[in-house]
Structure formats: C-alpha cells, structure tokens
Amino acid sequence: MPESSGPGGHAVVAGAGIGGLLAARVLSETYERVTLVDRDALPQGGGPRRGVPQSRHAHGLLSRGFEVLEEFFPGLGDDLVGQGALVRDAQADVRWFNDGHRMSGGDSALPCLMVSRPALETYLRTRVAALDGVEIQDRCEVLEPVAEKAGGRITGVRLLRVNAEPQTVAADLFVDATGRSNRGVAWLAGLGYEAAPEDRVDSKVVYVSREYRRRPGEAAADAYLVGASASVPRGGVALSAEGGRWLVTLFGMNGDVPPVDPAGFHRFAERLPVPELHELLERLEPLTEPLAMRIPVSVRRRYERIDRMPAGYLVFGDALCQFNPSYGQGMTAAALQAVALRDCLARGSGPAAVREYFRRAAQAVSVPWDMSVGGDLRFPFVEGRRTLRVRLLNRYVARLHRVAAVDPEVARAFLTVANLSSPPQGLFAPKVLRRVLRGPSGGAGARAAVRPPSAQATGA
C-alpha cells in the first residue's frame, strides 16, 4: 500500500501511541493534512514515556498484527531486525505452557515480531512523521473537540500547547486515540451526546517486569509464555528484544501478586505452574529492578450501539477497547481497527461512515474481547455472567491444551486462532475436533503437566 496523502481535508488525532500512529497512517491516504498531537514530550531517541507507563513491560504483537503492520509499513520487519529485534515462528521458537502442559513444537508458519513497545512506537512514529501532509506535535493537549450547533458535525479541536494560550484549529475529523485515560465521556457530554454503553471486566491482575541480559546459547527458545490457571492464578512471559535483552513480566491475580524486590520476584517465578521460566531467570543477569503496574479494569465501549454521534468523531485503539494485557492482544486489535478504518474511508465520509466505522471496529475487537473475557471468567473471583457457551468453550479448550501437548497439528490450530490469524471456529474444524475429543494418545512423545494442571485457557 503506498504511503501517500489523499485529496483534501484536515484530520486531528489525539494520542501518538500505537493506536494514534496507525490511525494517522490510514488517514494520510484520504486527508490532505493529518495532525497528530500528544501531551507528552516524545523522546527523540526512543524509550518509555510518562503517558504510556505500560511500555516498560513486555508487549506481544500477534502474528496477524505483524502482518497488518507490514502491509501499512512495508519493510518494517527487516528494519526492526536490523535494530536488534527478532522475527521468529510462533510455534517453533516459543515455549508455550497452558494448563501446565508444554505445547508441542513444530513450524506454524506464523511469524511473530519480538521487540519492545518503545522501539516499535519510535519506529512507527518515524515512518508516520515522514508521510506527506502529516505533522506530529508533542507537548500539545486536546482540551475538547468543537462541533457545529446544527447537525453536530466536527468543525475543529481546541488545543493547549506548552507555553501558549489555548487555540482552536479547524478540523474535518477528530480521532480519540488517547488510550486508557481518555476523556471521551466528558468530550461527548460537552457536545451534547450521551456516553457509549460499556462492558467491563476486572481480572484483578497486577504485573511486575524486569529486564535481563540475553546471551547466545543460554535458552532453549526465544520466548517463554506461561499461562495462569484457575487453581494457580499466576503466569509470566519472557520475550527476547533488541539490545540483547530479555523482557520478563510476571503477573498474579486477586491479591497474589509478584513482589517488587528481586529475591521476591524470583520466588514468585518459582511458584508458576511450570518451572521453566524460573529456571531461565536463575541463569540470567538482571539489568533493572522489578517494576510493578496495576491493570485497570478491561473496558469495551460500545459506540456501535449509539444512535447519535457527531459526524467526524471517531474513537480508536484502547480508547475504544482496552484488554487484559496478559493475552497480548492490544496492539493487534489496534491494527485490526486500522484495517476497519481504511475500509470505511474508502466508502466516503459523513454520519453513515461514522456508524459504519464503529460497526466494523466492533467486529474487529469482538473476537479478541470474547477470547480474553472467556479466559478471565475461568477464575471464580472474576465477576461476570458465565453462560453455558462460555463454560463449554473453556472445558473444550482445557481439553485441547492436553492434546496440544502431544499433537503438533492441534497446537498449530490453537496458535493460529490465538494469533487472530483465523476465526475461533478453526478450533472446531472436523480434523481438530476429532483429535481433541479423542484425547491425548500418550506414548513417548507425551509431555505431562509439570505441576498439577487446572483450567488455564485463552478462552478462545
């Protein structure tokens, strides 16, 4: 897809994180001018920033998200590998542990990009800033969008730049990509519109991260993913990243959380459902102190259910739907919203286009949302309606994990769905269904759970 600007109009995007950058990339094809504003001072050389505290922790980019980013930014993978990132196979090069079972290896043909969040954001910001007609302004806060009184169409945005008076700039489109701390409810109320209905799930997750030095030959894989289970509500990941580092994040739920002192951090890793991640950490040299973050409640804002919205007002990324990050879906969900936005803009603008975007964006986030919520509802302390469908799905996926420990084909089917490269129905394809219902065949290739398994699943 060419990186060029379109015929006319001015779009203002609030928030220069992953979601805002993707929105700006898409809008550059349709709008003559795109202004991307962020209240942070954006670091020129990369690195974490105040407005994205989660960027210091391990982030996963699923295979489908990597595919979309390559489409919008050709050469992205090669460029980032040149900066020290890794592109690896999601099955062959990653150790997955679900329900205490190690998933079978093999070649999944699902490439995954292993890179830190700050490095990815910095790269995308450089590419977006180079687009014709795009301007990125940091230390610039959106006070409110402005709309005409009759008809409600967006006409501008009130901005507050550092060391300056508030100013209103004309705009034909406003995109709220301000993430988890967005002020969309207040902005819409100020324009005379009701807030969107919300679905909320509190998984009671806290995670703690630490960086370690990565040296050749000290690990059997390039990433380790240990899922939590209903009886052991703890998990963790270790991801290879640029700079010769391991990014390690441990998480716990419902008060059973990782300590922030180094010794306690390692003791917590020893209590994970399997020992492999702890054994890895015991061999590594730490580079940083542990850093904690409390996960806010997961929220899905259902703008597609609102009858009245200002024409030219869109919501994107975490401002639309924020996930339990232990499933690693957020950046890929933003990429899928970018695809939805591109498809809508190809069909025109106006109130109908706004409704169409929210409908398509809702479809884009529905699968990852259902997967994460279904997975969260395995835990008895998570409040929510456990329908018969959710209960049956979780029982099926728990059985699937047992089979995936000895059957590479079932493991590949699971990974294809978990990476959002195929719909969840792929787990029920006749060949997969037969293998799962038949159960593990055992034999020399079987990998029993290292510790007593329970109902860990992704909720797919």
Side-chain angles (χ1 to χ4, degrees):
M1 182 177 298
E3 296 184 1
S4 60
S5 59
H10 180 210
V12 175
V13 180
I18 300 293
L21 291 165
L22 285 169
R25 167 65 185 88
V26 173
L27 294 171
S28 71
E29 299 178 358
T30 304
Y31 286 81
E32 183 178 8
R33 293 175 55 216
V34 178
T35 303
L36 187 62
V37 301
D38 198 287
R39 63 185 180 184
D40 277 357
L42 300 176
Q44 297 301 313
R49 56 191 178 93
R50 185 181 65 178
V52 191
Q54 70 270 27
S55 67
R56 296 180 181 272
H57 304 268
H59 276 63
L61 180 66
L62 302 179
S63 182
R64 175 58 178 147
F66 183 25
E67 179 184 13
V68 173
L69 291 188
E70 276 283 2
E71 180 182 355
F72 285 129
F73 301 96
L76 171 143
D78 289 341
D79 290 345
L80 287 171
V81 167
Q83 297 177 16
L86 288 79
V87 175
R88 294 291 188 263
D89 184 89
Q91 185 174 7
D93 303 310
V94 179
R95 292 283 176 89
W96 293 76
F97 299 90
N98 293 311
D99 279 4
H101 299 276
R102 176 183 158 192
M103 186 178 294
S104 296
D107 185 357
S108 68
L110 293 168
C112 56
L113 177 66
M114 299 181 187
V115 66
S116 70
R117 163 69 184 264
L120 178 59
E121 183 177 306
T122 299
Y123 175 85
L124 295 179
R125 188 164 64 242
T126 301
R127 292 286 296 264
V128 169
L131 296 169
D132 292 341
V134 175
E135 180 184 9
I136 300 178
Q137 299 182 9
D138 63 355
R139 297 188 296 171
C140 181
E141 183 175 359
V142 172
L143 297 179
E144 61 186 356
V146 179
E148 61 186 14
K149 293 183 179 180
R153 177 176 291 276
I154 293 295
T155 59
V157 181
R158 260 186 104 231
L159 301 176
L160 178 62
R161 297 180 176 88
V162 65
N163 299 324
E165 295 295 320
Q167 178 187 14
T168 299
V169 299
D172 306 287
L173 180 74
F174 172 70
V175 180
D176 175 9
T178 53
R180 291 176 178 266
S181 60
N182 78 94
R183 295 164 51 202
V185 172
W187 285 339
L188 285 173
L191 296 174
Y193 294 85
E194 295 183 358
E198 295 180 349
D199 297 337
R200 304 173 70 89
V201 177
D202 187 358
S203 56
K204 298 178 173 61
V205 171
V206 175
Y207 58 84
V208 178
S209 296
R210 196 180 192 192
E211 296 181 10
Y212 294 80
R213 193 178 306 281
R214 180 168 54 88
R215 296 186 177 92
E218 65 189 354
D222 294 302
Y224 293 75
L225 289 88
V226 179
S229 68
S231 63
V232 186
R234 297 178 291 277
V237 300
L239 302 178
S240 297
E242 76 286 349
R245 296 176 296 159
W246 287 97
L247 305 180
V248 178
T249 296
L250 306 180
F251 66 88
M253 308 173 72
N254 199 35
D256 183 11
V257 301
V260 293
D261 65 283
F265 186 79
H266 278 237
R267 286 196 301 270
F268 187 91
E270 193 173 15
R271 298 170 54 226
L272 296 179
V274 297
E276 278 82 353
L277 185 49
H278 174 255
E279 291 170 355
L280 174 67
L281 298 190
E282 291 295 293
R283 298 194 299 270
L284 301 181
E285 175 191 350
L287 297 175
T288 65
E289 294 298 305
L291 178 69
M293 183 170 180
R294 167 73 168 89
I295 303 303
V297 174
S298 300
V299 179
R300 181 180 181 185
R301 298 181 175 91
R302 309 301 295 258
Y303 286 95
E304 77 278 10
R305 296 180 178 176
I306 295 180
D307 293 329
R308 294 180 64 249
M309 279 288 290
Y313 187 113
L314 301 182
V315 185
F316 201 92
D318 280 357
L320 180 74
C321 187
Q322 55 200 51
F323 299 86
N324 177 343
S326 62
Y327 299 98
Q329 301 166 316
M331 294 192 297
T332 299
L336 296 178
Q337 292 170 52
V339 174
L341 178 59
R342 178 194 61 189
D343 294 345
C344 276
L345 290 175
R347 303 179 60 172
S349 60
V354 170
R355 289 193 295 271
E356 178 67 9
Y357 163 73
F358 283 123
R359 185 184 69 82
R360 287 176 178 255
Q363 292 174 343
V365 302
S366 282
V367 169
W369 176 262
D370 289 346
M371 289 169 66
S372 62
V373 169
D376 286 344
L377 290 176
R378 290 174 293 116
F379 303 98
F381 48 80
V382 175
E383 296 182 4
R385 182 166 172 259
R386 292 163 174 81
T387 63
L388 177 62
R389 176 177 178 271
V390 167
R391 296 196 303 272
L392 290 176
L393 278 173
N394 281 333
R395 288 176 60 186
Y396 177 80
V397 174
R399 185 179 183 91
L400 181 147
H401 287 322
R402 294 197 297 273
V403 177
V406 298
D407 190 327
E409 290 296 325
V410 172
R412 187 172 302 115
F414 168 79
L415 289 174
T416 303
V417 171
N419 277 273
L420 303 181
S421 294
S422 70
Q425 290 84 347
L427 297 181
F428 300 92
K431 181 172 66 174
V432 176
L433 183 63
R434 283 195 301 270
R435 293 171 184 242
V436 172
L437 295 182
R438 186 171 61 234
S441 58
R447 297 182 181 93
V450 180
R451 296 178 187 173
S454 55
Q456 199 278 329
T458 65

